């Protein structure tokens, strides 16, 4: 069965060009020129992925994502922007993204990401090291995982995703050791918790899985793959 994608961009020529390329790659693609009509389509149709521009009249890409997550927490979303950095990107990443791409990067990477994207394969990542967040997000996206990332405890408020696993740094600025882990367990009860830490003497509690920094990313991804299979999203 062909995958279904929605491309959202107020630049209709750009949206239709992306749609044509994805169609040529074997997908079924719909186009929306602004956020409101995109939400209407998303409520009617189960898409396998959404590609949206960041800056649009009316709803921005980040606001579209926020409203989308209220009724579809597991659809993979790729956010596009003409700018290398954007003030709303961190908010969008907090809500759960497959990837953030520059429009200048072209479509081959987009096609590859969407080809591997999976529904309901969201991983929560809590760490104050933004470089680590970026690197892990990229590695997980290549395997089809979307990442909901936060660099502080306050950024956890209001999350509506349903993760298959959470990666949590045991030590976060402005909080006691383990506070982030406790908060994530409260927000997502029953979710497998993988502790990531630079504390070499941290042994954790019984049943906790620990990845000491610097850890082998391939081993971490393999563990998440096993959890995805168990959750039925592989």
């Amino acid at each position: 069965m062909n995958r279904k994608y929605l491309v959202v961009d107020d630049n209709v020529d750009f949206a239709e060009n992306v749609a044509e390329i994805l169609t040529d790659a074997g997908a079924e693609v719909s186009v929306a020129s602004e956020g409101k009509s995109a939400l209407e389509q998303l409520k009617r149709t189960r898409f396998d992925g959404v590609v949206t521009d960041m800056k649009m009249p009316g709803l921005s890409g980040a606001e579209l994502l926020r409203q989308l997550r209220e009724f579809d927490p597991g659809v993979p979303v790729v956010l596009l922007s003409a700018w290398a950095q954007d003030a709303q990107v961190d908010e969008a990443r907090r809500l759960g993204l497959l990837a953030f791409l520059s429009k200048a990067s072209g479509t081959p990477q987009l096609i590859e990401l969407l080809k591997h994207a999976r529904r309901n394969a969201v991983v929560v990542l809590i760490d104050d090291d933004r470089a680590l967040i970026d690197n892990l997000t990229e590695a997980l996206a290549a395997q089809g995982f979307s990442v909901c990332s936060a660099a502080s405890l306050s950024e956890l408020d209001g999350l509506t995703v349903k993760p298959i696993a959470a990666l949590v740094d045991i030590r976060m600025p402005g909080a006691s050791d383990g506070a982030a882990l406790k908060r994530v367990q409260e927000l997502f009860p029953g979710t497998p918790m993988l502790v990531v830490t630079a504390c070499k003497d941290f042994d954790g509690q019984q049943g906790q899985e620990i990845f000491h920094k610097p850890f082998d990313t391939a081993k971490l991804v393999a563990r998440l793959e096993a959890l995805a299979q168990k959750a039925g999203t592989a």
Side-chain angles (χ1 to χ4, degrees):
M1 181 181 295
N2 289 346
R3 289 194 164 202
K4 291 184 179 180
Y5 301 129
L6 177 65
V7 178
V8 190
D9 201 306
D10 60 306
N11 183 334
V12 178
D13 288 341
F14 178 84
E16 290 182 346
N17 181 58
V18 172
E20 182 178 356
I21 292 170
L22 292 174
T23 300
D24 289 344
E28 180 180 335
V29 187
S30 299
V31 172
S33 61
E34 44 82 33
K36 184 177 179 181
S37 62
L39 283 172
E40 291 173 354
Q41 291 195 55
L42 288 161
K43 289 177 180 178
R44 293 195 309 265
T45 305
R46 179 181 171 88
F47 289 97
D48 298 299
V50 178
V51 180
T52 180
D53 189 19
M54 170 61 87
K55 294 184 179 297
M56 298 182 291
L59 296 181
S60 67
E63 178 60 20
L64 169 62
L65 177 58
R66 187 188 68 77
Q67 294 192 34
L68 169 61
R69 286 291 177 245
E70 292 177 1
F71 62 88
D72 193 344
V75 62
V77 176
V78 177
L79 189 65
L80 300 178
S81 177
W83 308 94
Q85 297 292 332
D86 191 287
Q88 293 181 309
V89 171
D90 285 344
E91 171 65 8
R93 285 174 169 162
R94 190 182 74 86
L95 295 167
L97 284 179
L98 180 66
F100 168 69
L101 299 178
S102 168
K103 286 187 174 181
S105 65
T107 54
Q109 185 179 4
L110 174 63
I111 292 172
E112 189 67 17
L113 284 168
L114 290 175
K115 182 171 68 175
H116 295 289
R118 341 177 196 192
R119 268 190 156 275
N120 302 316
V122 179
V123 175
V124 169
L125 172 56
I126 315 300
D127 200 297
D128 62 311
D129 185 341
R130 293 188 180 274
L132 182 145
I133 287 178
D134 289 344
N135 291 336
L136 269 182
T137 297
E138 184 176 350
L140 291 173
Q143 302 302 316
F145 294 98
S146 296
V147 174
C148 173
S149 62
S152 68
L153 266 66
S154 62
E155 294 178 22
L156 292 172
D157 295 337
L159 297 184
T160 56
V161 294
K162 298 178 181 179
I164 62 164
L167 310 178
V168 187
D169 193 347
I170 201 68
R171 181 169 293 172
M172 297 288 287
S176 60
D177 287 1
L181 183 63
K182 181 179 179 181
R183 180 62 178 140
V184 173
Q185 287 172 328
E186 292 171 348
L187 287 170
F188 310 111
T191 298
M193 300 286 156
L194 310 183
V195 176
V196 292
T197 180
C199 304
K200 299 302 181 184
D201 58 348
F202 179 76
D203 295 325
Q205 301 173 358
Q206 185 175 4
Q208 285 183 346
E209 296 185 60
I210 304 171
F211 287 82
H212 287 285
K213 300 177 182 178
F215 49 78
D216 186 331
T217 300
K219 289 184 178 179
L220 178 57
V221 173
R223 181 66 185 115
L224 290 170
E225 184 64 47
L227 291 172
Q229 292 179 5
K230 185 176 180 180
T233 61

